[in-house]
Amino acid sequence: MSARQRGLGQTPPESGQTQPDPGRLALIAEATKRAGLIWITVPDAAVPGGTGGAVPAGPGGAVPAGPGGAVPDRPRAVWHVWRDAAYVLTGPGEQDVPGLGDAPLVTVSVASKDTGGLLVRWAARVSRVEPGSAEWSAIIGTLLAGRLNEPENPGAPSPAERWAQTGSVYRLTPDETPETGTAGT
């Protein structure tokens, strides 16, 4: 069966990767789909200037920032779209998530729109969506529709063209691996 026949997001797990149980996956999907923002925590080892997990406190107990102000293991609020996985857009003029492209696995936290309390936390396998691929074509329109306040710039490339040239779209797929135990809390 081809990826197109399985549909967007219906790819089989990679070796060593398992999906959360169906009930947990339904909770992850429903909570994440409804959330306006998700919080992504990239492991310190993947953040440029990260310390590989050892984060020494600076003066006053503050964690020192790396290059570009990146703070290791700091959750980043990002907008996304959900289509059997969370899709996140990064790049110049877009949201900044240092280390996302270098991290095989990240933690996603989803808060309630009503109370702000944590609804679900899950591990996500990170993969880049290649411009021009079938997956890119299937998701780019949804990202365009979800992008708020896109500046109009007559004569400039369309947002989709600009994202293909200078940005990155990442797919965050719920994962349950031996390294992480369960896919969240």
Side-chain angles (χ1 to χ4, degrees):
M1 179 184 305
S2 74
R4 183 172 289 275
Q5 289 169 321
R6 281 189 299 271
L8 182 62
Q10 299 298 314
T11 56
E14 295 173 12
S15 176
Q17 173 187 358
T18 59
Q19 291 187 334
D21 69 74
R24 176 128 176 93
L25 191 55
L27 171 65
I28 290 168
E30 191 61 28
T32 307
K33 187 185 321 178
R34 291 176 181 257
L37 292 174
I38 57 176
W39 294 82
I40 300 174
T41 304
V42 176
D44 175 54
V47 176
T51 61
V55 182
V63 175
V71 177
D73 289 330
R74 181 181 143 230
R76 299 281 182 145
V78 298
W79 69 271
H80 70 288
V81 295
W82 179 269
R83 297 293 178 269
D84 297 320
Y87 287 85
V88 175
L89 170 68
T90 66
E94 303 299 338
Q95 43 203 4
D96 182 31
V97 186
L100 183 60
D102 297 322
L105 205 62
V106 297
T107 301
V108 177
S109 301
V110 183
S112 166
K113 279 184 167 182
D114 297 329
T115 67
L118 180 67
L119 287 176
V120 65
R121 180 174 293 128
W122 49 280
R125 181 97 24 213
V126 180
S127 58
R128 186 171 186 266
V129 178
E130 293 298 325
S133 68
E135 187 175 20
W136 175 275
S137 299
I139 197 63
I140 202 68
T142 306
L143 283 167
L144 284 166
R147 172 66 164 90
L148 300 177
N149 304 317
E150 175 64 34
E152 290 188 32
N153 197 352
S158 72
E161 292 169 331
R162 181 170 44 86
W163 297 342
Q165 293 169 3
T166 64
S168 295
V169 174
Y170 293 100
R171 177 192 170 120
L172 307 179
T173 306
D175 183 54
E176 189 171 299
T177 63
E179 305 92 70
T180 59
T182 63
T185 314

